[in-house]
Amino acid sequence: MNVKNRKFRGVFLLAVLMLVMTVMAGCGGNNNAAPSAEPNAAANATTEPAAEATAEPAADPVTVKLQLKWVPQAQFAGYFVAQDKGYYAEEGLKVEILPGGPDIVPEQQVAGGSADIGVDWVASLLTSQEQEMPLVQIAQIFQKSGLVLVSKKDAGISTPADLEGKKVGNWMGGNEFEILALFDKYKLDPNKDLNFTKQGFTMDQFLGGEIDAASAMTYNEYQVALESGIPAADLSVIDMNDEGVAMLEDNLFANKEWLAENKETAAKFVRASLKGWKEAIADPAAAVDSVMKLAEAGSTTKEHQLTMMNEVAKLILPEGFDPAKMGYTDAAAFQQTADIALKFGVIKTASKVDEAYTNEIVEMASK
């Protein structure tokens, strides 16, 4: 082959090679079509947060106002613990705990709309219901009565029958009905057979010997007597529970109209509150820390509140009581309270107990 032909062949082969490379480059572009989807996927990924940003914001917590019967103390520790531990917040609630006092009637506050849920004794609730306040009990916190009559051994009062001829004190104002039922059981006329007198809110009359037997709550006044230096062995105690004349005390009640539209909220509140009470019973010292943050400075001591907490626990969760039943209203105990209330004029007509309380909310809370 001559030189001219070799040059022509070389140019031809080069042209063919370039054509093949061009075709391969085109095929390579098609092979990259699948990976090229990655930028599109990334673009879609970047748009997803934007979609989330336009979603509805989390609902604001629902406000619930709780009206206490008295000032902050371990008697109400479960609610303070539920607040501090965030149990209410976990249920989507913002709970405002309103302190009570001598001039505050929880039933009036709830009936009037100043509070949504209240704490009081059942006898007081029955009175308010008879006055046609739209209230219903939604939980029973104390399963036993904390009321006792305490006397010094040298007063010679070993049984209720020994109260004859003695000076017996009570705070009155709605706190006396268990004591009156006790007198009635033992056929003692408070106007003839003994001196039934008004007792102050301290234990000074008892400690000073002005009264023979004083009314006392196991978690408060009885402890004051012990703290004053009187040994328990030198005291005699008459327990209303043992005598079968006990009336139910601390409960939770709500305005019927509010409850009709807020059952789920009420159940969430009860669930968180019972969780707070269980925590308080399990760790009394921590519960008292929650109480002391709210107690009026100088009004009490941590030691007294710790004793109160331990005694309150015995009323909420008595020995042998099923913890799963915390908060439930016992029909027999409620009926006994209503019967005593009727007999001694707390209410003038028999309570419609089937309308006075409900266990529906506690049952909802347990689910």
Side-chain angles (χ1 to χ4, degrees):
M1 184 181 292
N2 62 31
V3 174
K4 183 176 180 180
N5 288 339
R6 286 200 300 268
K7 288 178 67 177
F8 175 80
R9 184 180 179 187
V11 171
F12 176 79
L13 290 173
L14 179 62
V16 171
L17 179 62
M18 290 180 67
L19 177 61
V20 171
M21 290 179 66
T22 301
V23 172
M24 289 180 66
C27 292
N30 290 335
N31 286 341
N32 287 337
S36 71
E38 286 294 328
N40 292 333
N44 289 338
T46 59
T47 61
E48 286 179 7
E52 290 179 3
T54 59
E56 292 185 10
D60 291 334
V62 177
T63 298
V64 176
K65 294 182 179 181
L66 173 67
Q67 178 63 64
L68 301 182
K69 175 181 174 63
W70 196 245
V71 298
Q73 57 183 17
Q75 179 182 357
F76 314 111
Y79 311 115
F80 303 135
V81 171
Q83 189 82 288
D84 282 356
K85 292 286 186 177
Y87 298 152
Y88 291 132
E90 289 173 3
E91 295 285 355
L93 305 179
K94 178 184 177 183
V95 175
E96 297 179 15
I97 303 177
L98 310 175
D103 299 323
I104 293 178
V105 179
E107 287 83 0
Q108 292 179 358
Q109 298 297 102
V110 174
S114 297
D116 303 305
I117 297 174
V119 179
D120 208 341
W121 286 9
V122 172
S124 182
L125 175 65
L126 292 174
T127 301
S128 299
Q129 289 174 332
E130 186 171 63
Q131 294 170 359
E132 297 186 353
M133 292 187 191
L135 305 173
V136 62
Q137 177 165 309
I138 60 173
Q140 182 62 51
I141 304 303
F142 285 16
Q143 298 295 334
K144 292 182 66 177
S145 168
L147 182 63
V148 298
L149 278 179
V150 59
S151 61
K152 298 171 186 175
K153 285 284 182 67
D154 57 18
I157 302 173
S158 299
T159 71
D162 297 327
L163 293 170
E164 185 173 2
K166 306 297 184 181
K167 191 171 185 178
V168 182
N170 185 267
W171 312 288
M172 308 300 181
N175 298 295
E176 70 272 24
F177 304 111
E178 288 172 87
I179 307 299
L180 290 175
L182 180 71
F183 295 158
D184 184 69
K185 177 180 178 179
Y186 286 87
K187 304 296 189 289
L188 295 171
D189 186 329
N191 298 312
K192 297 178 181 178
D193 299 325
L194 53 89
N195 183 357
F196 193 38
T197 187
K198 184 174 176 57
Q199 175 183 321
F201 286 100
T202 69
M203 289 295 277
D204 292 349
Q205 292 162 285
F206 175 71
L207 297 174
E210 297 175 40
I211 54 179
D212 300 306
S215 292
M217 301 307 294
T218 56
Y219 53 81
N220 199 358
E221 291 81 7
Y222 178 72
Q223 302 305 322
V224 170
L226 296 178
E227 291 164 9
S228 73
I230 304 176
D234 291 344
L235 295 172
S236 293
V237 174
I238 298 173
D239 190 316
M240 302 303 116
N241 299 287
D242 295 341
E243 293 296 335
V245 295
M247 299 177 77
L248 291 173
E249 296 168 354
D250 289 32
N251 64 3
L252 289 173
F253 61 89
N255 187 305
K256 286 183 177 181
E257 297 170 2
W258 176 85
L259 187 64
E261 299 179 356
N262 294 277
K263 283 188 178 182
E264 287 292 343
T265 296
K268 290 177 180 180
F269 173 84
V270 169
R271 180 162 50 240
S273 296
L274 292 177
K275 190 174 180 181
W277 274 118
K278 290 175 184 176
E279 180 77 17
I281 292 170
D283 192 351
V288 168
D289 287 339
S290 294
V291 172
M292 294 305 292
K293 288 190 296 186
L294 298 170
E296 183 180 350
S299 65
T300 187
T301 65
K302 188 172 183 177
E303 293 72 22
H304 181 74
Q305 291 301 315
L306 183 57
T307 300
M308 183 183 291
M309 181 63 243
N310 287 324
E311 291 300 320
V312 163
K314 297 174 185 177
L315 304 179
I316 297 173
L317 195 60
E319 185 176 353
F321 186 78
D322 182 359
K325 290 296 184 181
M326 282 179 64
Y328 276 83
T329 300
D330 179 78
F334 195 96
Q335 186 64 61
Q336 177 172 296
T337 300
D339 290 344
I340 292 174
L342 178 62
K343 185 167 187 176
F344 296 101
V346 181
I347 51 179
K348 295 180 175 60
T349 57
S351 170
K352 297 178 181 178
V353 295
D354 57 332
E355 299 177 10
Y357 74 89
T358 177
N359 278 318
E360 179 185 8
I361 304 303
V362 177
E363 289 169 353
M364 290 173 63
S366 67
K367 296 176 181 178

